[in-house]
Amino acid sequence: MSDVTIFAPSPTLTVTIEEHDDEPDIHLHAGGQGVWQARMLLRLGVSVTMCCTLTGEIGRMLRHLLEDEGIAVAGIDRPGKGSAYVHDRRAGERDVIAETEGEPLARHDLDELYGLTLREGLASGLVILSGPAGDEALPADTYRRLAADLREGGARVVVDLAGDRLDAAVTGGVDVLKVSDEELVRDGRVPDGASAAAIRAAMRMLHQKGAHSVIVSRSPEPTLLLDGAGFLEVQAPRMEVADTRGAGDSLTAGVAAGLARGESVRDAIITGAAAAALNVTRHGLGTGDPEAIARLREAVSVREILDESAAGIDQPVTGHVSPDGLAALAENAESGTTDESGKNREKP
C-alpha cells in the first residue's frame, strides 16, 4: 500500500531533443500532470501508486519508465494510440515537432480504471485527482463520482483541476482544491487582472460549493490559501526561472506529502510552496533535491489575511455570481466589513 494514490487517466510519453557538445541529446520520459506530481512526491519521500490507462506500444513503454522511477503502477492495458509528444529544445525554446492526446477511454476501460482507483485510493487514504492529456479523454463527471465515492469510503481527496473537471470534483466534495489564477480567469470565475480581493471572493464561492480548502497559485505573486479558519498568504522565495512548467504540480505534490505525514493544510502548503520554488530552477518537471526543498521551506513566509467577509465562508451558496459580481463583492470587502447576515456595513 502506497502513501498516496494518483488518478492519472492518460500519462504521456515525452521525447525531448536537447543539445550536448554540439550533438543532439534525446531524452525519453513519462510525463503529464499526474506523473510530475508523483515524481515530486517520491523526491519528498512519499510512496505513490498511479492509476492510469496504458495504451498500445506507448503504454508499454510508459509502464517501464514509471516503474523504473519507483512509481507503483495500477494500469489498464488497452490497444490503440496513446498520448505522446516530441519537443525540440536545442534553440532554447520548446519547438513542438509532433504531439497527440491519444484516444478517449472506452466505457469498459473507464469502468476498470474507476474500480482500480477506488481500490488503491481507499487503501492509501489520500488521493490526488489529476487531469488527462486531452479534453476528450473521459467525461468530466467522472471526477464528481470519484471524489464523492472516495470520500464516502473515508479517503481524503486533493484535486488540481480546472474548467468542467474542477466544477465536477467540487460538486462531489474535495478536501483540497488547487487552481491557478490564470485558470480562474480562463474559466470566467474572475476577470482578467482581478485584484487579490476578487480572487478571494472566487475562493469563497469554491469553498462553499464543496472544496474544504482552496489554494490559488498566482506566480509571481504570493499563493493564497482559504480553509475553515480564513485566508493565508504564502510567499515563497523568488528563484531564477529556467522553466515554469510543473511548478503548480510540485506545489500540489508538496501539499499532499505534508498531508500524508499528518500535517494540516496550513503546514503542508509551506512544503508545497518550497517545492514549487525549486522546480522553476530546473528543466526537469516535478524534480528537485529534497534537502534544498527543506532549506527553502525555512524561507517561506506566511501571513494571515484579516478578511472579515470570510466569516461567512460556511454559508450555503445560492445562485450564480458572475465575474463582474465577484469583483463588486471584492470591492465591497475592501471598502467595508460585513455583519452577521453577510451584508456590507460601513467601517467606523
Side-chain angles (χ1 to χ4, degrees):
M1 180 183 69
S2 297
D3 299 319
V4 177
T5 297
I6 297 180
F7 175 71
S10 51
T12 299
L13 179 65
T14 73
V15 182
T16 306
I17 308 169
E18 298 184 346
E19 190 86 15
H20 183 69
D21 293 334
D22 297 325
E23 292 288 337
D25 190 14
I26 301 174
H27 299 270
L28 193 68
H29 295 289
Q33 184 185 36
V35 174
W36 300 328
Q37 292 164 346
R39 191 170 288 145
M40 180 56 74
L41 281 164
L42 291 177
R43 298 295 192 280
L44 294 170
V46 175
S47 60
V48 181
T49 294
M50 178 172 292
C51 298
C52 57
T53 55
L54 300 165
T55 307
E57 60 182 354
I58 286 175
R60 291 192 291 273
M61 178 62 71
L62 282 170
R63 181 183 288 275
H64 289 296
L65 292 171
L66 291 167
E67 291 177 344
D68 284 348
E69 289 196 51
I71 300 170
V73 178
I76 303 297
D77 295 300
R78 62 171 188 155
K81 182 174 66 175
S83 171
Y85 68 66
V86 180
H87 288 178
D88 190 340
R89 292 181 56 100
R90 285 176 290 179
E93 301 293 332
R94 288 185 182 271
D95 184 16
V96 178
I97 305 300
E99 59 185 8
T100 176
E101 296 178 349
E103 297 172 350
L105 275 66
R107 181 187 60 79
H108 175 74
D109 295 328
L110 181 56
D111 286 346
E112 291 297 312
L113 180 60
Y114 195 97
L116 270 183
T117 305
L118 286 180
R119 184 192 74 195
E120 298 296 331
L122 295 177
S124 67
L126 179 59
V127 184
I128 300 176
L129 302 183
S130 69
D135 290 338
E136 304 303 320
L138 74 169
D141 191 59
T142 306
Y143 289 90
R144 178 193 61 79
R145 295 169 52 224
L146 262 179
D149 287 346
L150 285 165
R151 295 183 88 220
E152 183 68 19
R156 290 173 294 171
V157 175
V158 177
V159 301
D160 187 349
L161 301 167
D164 292 341
R165 291 188 287 271
L166 181 155
D167 285 324
V170 169
T171 299
V174 302
D175 294 275
V176 180
L177 163 65
K178 183 267 170 186
V179 65
S180 72
D181 57 346
E182 294 177 346
E183 289 166 332
L184 291 178
V185 171
R186 285 200 297 270
D187 292 348
R189 302 180 198 276
V190 297
D192 194 11
S195 66
I199 293 173
R200 292 198 301 270
M203 293 170 71
R204 285 193 293 274
M205 295 290 290
L206 291 167
H207 173 89
Q208 292 163 343
K209 288 181 177 179
H212 183 269
S213 298
V214 181
I215 298 170
V216 176
S217 59
R218 302 184 301 145
S219 180
E221 299 300 319
T223 295
L224 296 175
L225 165 67
L226 170 64
D227 61 10
F231 286 95
L232 287 184
E233 182 182 85
V234 183
Q235 178 65 68
R238 295 190 177 184
M239 314 297 284
E240 293 295 320
V241 176
D243 193 341
T244 59
R245 297 176 71 222
D249 298 314
S250 294
L251 170 60
T252 301
V255 171
L259 294 177
R261 296 182 180 122
E263 296 177 357
S264 68
V265 175
R266 291 193 165 207
D267 288 331
I269 196 173
I270 299 175
T271 299
L278 183 62
N279 187 248
V280 303
T281 69
R282 305 168 62 89
H283 291 296
L285 306 184
T287 61
D289 178 71
E291 292 185 12
I293 293 172
R295 295 288 185 183
L296 286 174
R297 195 180 189 279
E298 298 173 3
V300 175
S301 63
V302 177
R303 181 175 71 90
E304 188 168 354
I305 300 174
L306 299 178
D307 186 332
E308 294 189 18
S309 58
I313 57 177
D314 290 321
Q315 296 174 0
V317 174
T318 57
H320 173 75
V321 180
S322 69
D324 289 340
L326 286 173
L329 287 172
E331 290 175 3
N332 289 336
E334 289 182 323
S335 62
T337 58
T338 57
D339 59 24
E340 293 181 352
S341 68
K343 296 179 180 178
N344 283 324
R345 55 180 170 81
E346 296 292 332
K347 284 185 178 179

